[in-house]
Amino acid sequence: MDLLNTLVDKGLRRELPTREEALAVLATSDDDLLDVVAAAGKVRRHWFGRRVKLNYLVNLKSGLCPEDCSYCSQRLGSKADILKYTWLKPDQASEAAAAGLAGGAKRVCLVASGRGPTDRDVDRVSETIKAIKEQNEGVEVCACLGLLSDGQAERLREAGADAYNHNLNTSEGTYGDITTTHTYADRVDTVQKAHAAGLSACSGLIAGMGESDEDLVDVVFSLRELDPDSVPVNFLIPFEGTPLAKEWNLTPQRCLRILAMVRFVCPDVEVRIAGGREVHLRTMQPLALHLANSIFLGDYLTSEGQAGKADLEMIADAGFEVEGADQVTLPEHRAEAAGGCGSVCGSHEGGDACGTATVPAAQEPRTDLVAVRRRGAGTDVAPNA
């Protein structure tokens, strides 16, 4: 397929595809899916070999968020039956992180619900970062605390943070339909603050919220322009009790096409399969490893993932290897630009080349695959790692 040959050539040169080419990837048929995966896999292997980076989430503060993000189980007014607790103490957070690191993770992502941290919150998280780094030599720490005020990114960097995550989530044109308590520009500003402070920027998207192919391409092109080192691709987990509980729009095939499009647009960036992979990729998760070079190990913020042991077995069975703590994730040119951090942090069928495609028949919602987290941070039950 000429399209795929062109995209591979561009990916190996770090050249941006056209919007039409990106849309065409999303519009490919299921008959062409393995060809799409193979083509994007060439780009992935060129920049990252067969390494898979493992990341581990620690939810420092769960629930009761004042923001109204429609996709989030922790949102204002959420009726989702999730764990709710206030800030973990530094030693509690460090203990939670240790479970993921023992399972093979090299990056710990510290996440807290809320609009953004107060200065006291930054102090608290700084203590947590120091506690984790004192007890785990070589660990990388990413903070994800919401919108940053002036000077806060610098303080996190001074405390030892390596990266900061703040996702764009969806296109600028549809952002107001998803969230009203802050703006798309607010999110862009926080990513830029992280960059300016010398933190490795991590910013991604959520697919499956009812967006169009054009919206997906818009947000991925915006991410390319922001130039984060890491792009997490989340697939919406439709929690009961949230406004998007009925949005079951994804198939495993569409998820793979989305990941392939992200890889072609962001060829030399750490692409991470994030929340929702078990729910939507299901048994096709191993194929996604040919597109993404990074995953979260174990559980997510408020939902449970598959067993950490199963993740490790999947990686090995697919012919990949877990990236070691002594290995640099990013290609040399990006690692140098990142100040030595080197590693960061959270379908349509048929159609023509402009991305217009037919919508597949709706599938029965797999609500049985959405498991609310009841273990790990904030509980007395051992974590999944």
Side-chain angles (χ1 to χ4, degrees):
M1 186 185 294
D2 288 343
L3 167 68
L4 297 178
N5 290 333
T6 297
L7 288 170
V8 170
D9 288 343
K10 288 186 173 183
L12 300 184
R13 298 194 304 266
R14 292 188 286 150
E15 182 180 335
L16 181 66
T18 66
R19 285 182 53 83
E20 289 72 22
E21 289 166 343
L23 285 165
V25 172
L26 297 178
T28 51
S29 70
D30 286 352
D31 288 342
D32 294 324
L33 182 61
L34 289 180
D35 292 332
V36 172
V37 172
K42 290 180 182 178
V43 178
R44 180 251 200 264
R45 289 192 301 276
H46 176 80
W47 295 111
F48 299 96
R50 288 189 167 272
R51 305 188 314 277
V52 178
K53 180 182 173 186
L54 300 182
N55 308 266
Y56 190 69
L57 283 167
V58 177
N59 198 357
L60 296 177
K61 179 168 71 77
S62 184
L64 307 175
C65 182
E67 303 297 287
D68 69 353
C69 306
S70 299
Y71 52 80
C72 185
S73 60
Q74 304 182 76
R75 75 187 295 272
L76 177 69
S78 171
K79 293 180 173 55
D81 185 25
I82 61 168
L83 288 171
K84 299 180 179 69
Y85 53 86
T86 189
W87 289 94
L88 297 181
K89 293 181 171 60
D91 61 330
Q92 293 173 314
S94 183
E95 182 179 355
L101 294 170
K106 62 184 289 185
R107 163 73 49 135
V108 174
C109 303
L110 302 175
V111 188
S113 62
R115 178 178 177 83
T118 64
D119 286 339
R120 181 184 177 190
D121 293 337
V122 172
D123 289 340
R124 191 192 327 258
V125 174
S126 295
E127 292 177 15
T128 299
I129 293 170
K130 291 173 183 175
I132 291 173
K133 292 215 160 191
E134 284 174 359
Q135 296 175 31
N136 302 278
E137 184 178 357
V139 67
E140 299 168 357
V141 177
C142 177
C144 178
L145 311 173
L147 301 173
L148 291 175
S149 301
D150 290 344
Q152 290 184 328
E154 287 79 4
R155 290 173 57 198
L156 290 168
R157 180 65 173 147
E158 290 170 5
D162 299 285
Y164 195 84
N165 166 260
H166 199 60
N167 295 330
L168 296 187
N169 290 328
T170 192
S171 68
E172 183 174 13
T174 58
Y175 196 83
D177 298 332
I178 298 299
T179 305
T180 67
T181 47
H182 60 267
T183 67
Y184 181 89
D186 290 332
R187 287 190 169 264
V188 170
D189 178 67
T190 287
V191 177
Q192 291 173 335
K193 279 184 167 71
H195 257 314
L199 291 167
S200 185
C202 173
S203 188
L205 64 142
I206 303 173
M209 298 191 290
E211 70 283 335
S212 67
D213 284 4
E214 288 77 9
D215 290 322
L216 285 170
V217 170
D218 281 349
V219 67
V220 177
F221 271 58
S222 294
L223 288 166
R224 167 78 182 233
E225 186 175 351
L226 275 177
D227 196 32
D229 291 320
S230 173
V231 175
V233 180
N234 296 276
F235 301 108
L236 176 71
I237 301 176
F239 275 96
E240 289 296 328
T242 65
L244 298 184
K246 306 304 179 186
E247 293 287 343
W248 289 85
N249 304 309
L250 297 171
T251 65
Q253 294 81 6
R254 178 152 174 81
C255 292
L256 289 171
R257 281 190 276 269
I258 291 168
L259 287 167
M261 185 269 287
V262 174
R263 174 57 71 199
F264 285 131
V265 176
C266 305
D268 60 337
V269 165
E270 179 190 343
V271 175
R272 182 179 313 116
I273 317 170
R277 65 179 164 94
E278 298 90 345
V279 177
H280 297 293
L281 280 162
R282 301 192 285 277
T283 58
M284 294 182 77
Q285 289 181 71
L287 272 182
L289 296 177
H290 291 271
L291 309 170
N293 62 296
S294 179
I295 65 171
F296 279 111
L297 176 72
D299 296 332
Y300 302 97
L301 297 177
T302 61
S303 65
E304 294 184 352
Q306 69 185 23
K309 183 174 182 289
D311 285 337
L312 299 177
E313 290 175 348
M314 176 182 71
I315 291 168
D317 289 347
F320 293 88
E321 61 183 26
V322 173
E323 185 173 284
D326 60 340
Q327 294 177 293
V328 177
T329 301
L330 297 174
E332 186 176 354
H333 63 276
R334 292 199 70 92
E336 291 175 351
C341 177
S343 178
V344 292
C345 268
S347 67
H348 288 197
E349 300 178 3
D352 57 29
C354 73
T356 303
T358 56
V359 179
Q363 293 189 332
E364 285 296 315
R366 290 297 307 273
T367 55
D368 59 304
L369 294 175
V370 179
V372 174
R373 182 172 68 82
R374 302 294 185 200
R375 59 195 176 196
T379 77
D380 295 326
V381 182
N384 171 28

